[in-house]
Amino acid sequence: MSPDSFLFGIPNPIYGMVPLSPFVLFPLAILCMGTSVILQKKGRRHAAPRFINLESPPGVLYLRPFTEDTDWKVYYSWGPDRRPTSFRQRLNVLKFGLRRQIPTRFGGIGPEFGEIIADLTRHFGRMAAIGEPESPPILGADNVYVSDDNWQEKVLEMARGAKLVILTAGTTPGVIWETENMVRFVAPSRLLLNIPGSTPSKREKHYAAFRAAANDIFPRGLPPFLLARTLTFREDWTPVLDQKNPPPFGSSAHVAWWMSRILS
């Protein structure tokens, strides 16, 4: 028997194995790296505090369909819009991205959607999200638990006091109810409509479905097409489409401008 069949006096477990082709090793390495990132992200979400009690209204209220809370959608469902910017603005976007990726801050793992939004809106105050009992918390937000009996009352209470409401488009009854009541009780300039989807085509599909279900809710309707993932409104509910230059700091349109350029 070959001496290579033993390792330190015991049978060598890899002796006689057929070498793997680089065409097999490379996909396996990519799969292992992707799995490692997802498991680390999952671990961070499960280690975060589940629910908190808010003593005062949040600065930002983040509303979304719970269907957007699956692991895969949380980890990758926000592809960049590639909106046009000047060279200086590209540098600012790059600087923001590098700052968010500092290993010492996130243990080498890129931030999630909620963490990026919380950073973009930090001048408004802390962000809150309705927590789903069966899902891990949204990182970057104070997750608030509400029962089926009073969730609508709690949403309205937080929305009335929030400086900014980020509403993720959807066609579920809950999202349509939230849309109707955000239009009723939230100033147009404090509402930001967010369209989910990892590619422009998916966002266009989601937006078309949302527009078909909710266009009549908005006093001036919704535009037939979107240039970016976000939509904001003027005080008379006229939709504000994406602009080449960033709008004034502290406005919902300014947050929307950044969202369309840094999310990935």
Side-chain angles (χ1 to χ4, degrees):
M1 184 176 293
S2 169
D4 292 335
S5 61
F6 286 86
L7 186 66
F8 301 112
I10 60 175
N12 187 347
I14 64 172
Y15 176 74
M17 292 181 64
V18 177
L20 292 177
S21 165
F23 296 103
V24 177
L25 286 174
F26 183 72
L28 283 177
I30 296 297
L31 179 62
C32 290
M33 291 173 60
T35 301
S36 173
V37 169
I38 288 179
L39 289 177
Q40 290 181 69
K41 284 178 174 283
K42 183 187 284 289
R44 289 180 57 222
R45 293 187 79 202
H46 282 275
R50 291 291 293 151
F51 301 114
I52 69 165
N53 292 318
L54 290 181
E55 298 181 356
S56 60
V60 181
L61 176 60
Y62 171 46
L63 301 173
R64 81 284 179 203
F66 284 155
T67 54
E68 293 298 315
D69 281 1
T70 61
D71 285 338
W72 180 250
K73 288 186 176 181
V74 167
Y75 302 149
Y76 178 73
S77 64
W78 312 97
D81 288 332
R82 309 294 184 192
R83 301 303 304 152
T85 55
S86 67
F87 178 73
R88 181 178 178 181
Q89 291 164 355
R90 288 195 188 100
L91 290 180
N92 289 334
V93 171
L94 177 61
K95 184 169 65 174
F96 182 93
L98 291 175
R99 179 170 64 84
R100 292 299 300 173
Q101 295 288 346
I102 296 176
T104 56
R105 187 169 182 181
F106 290 107
I109 308 171
E112 290 188 9
F113 175 79
E115 294 172 309
I116 295 175
I117 299 304
D119 198 340
L120 282 177
T121 61
R122 63 186 182 279
H123 53 281
F124 288 102
R126 290 192 59 81
M127 183 172 74
I130 301 297
E132 186 180 14
E134 297 179 358
S135 296
I138 298 295
L139 296 184
D142 292 328
N143 289 256
V144 181
Y145 174 75
V146 294
S147 67
D148 292 339
D149 297 331
N150 73 337
W151 74 272
Q152 294 174 327
E153 177 184 344
K154 191 65 177 178
V155 166
L156 290 180
E157 178 186 337
M158 291 190 292
R160 287 191 179 102
K163 298 177 182 176
L164 176 68
V165 176
I166 299 176
L167 173 66
T168 302
T171 56
T172 63
V175 173
I176 297 302
W177 180 89
E178 288 173 343
T179 304
E180 292 174 341
N181 284 275
M182 294 308 103
V183 172
R184 289 180 61 192
F185 298 110
V186 174
S189 60
R190 292 195 290 119
L191 181 64
L192 188 158
L193 183 62
N194 172 56
I195 312 299
S198 58
T199 64
S201 61
K202 289 181 179 179
R203 290 194 288 275
E204 290 170 4
K205 180 179 178 180
H206 289 156
Y207 177 71
F210 178 76
R211 184 173 183 270
N215 184 65
D216 292 341
I217 296 174
F218 293 86
R220 291 185 175 269
L222 295 170
F225 303 102
L226 278 185
L227 296 176
R229 71 170 67 251
T230 54
L231 187 67
T232 55
F233 304 89
R234 296 190 177 94
E235 290 297 345
D236 63 352
W237 285 108
T238 299
V240 179
L241 299 177
D242 186 70
Q243 306 170 48
K244 182 176 181 179
N245 295 317
F249 178 80
S251 64
S252 59
H254 186 271
V255 175
W257 189 93
W258 275 91
M259 285 175 62
S260 294
R261 286 161 176 82
I262 65 169
L263 290 173
S264 59

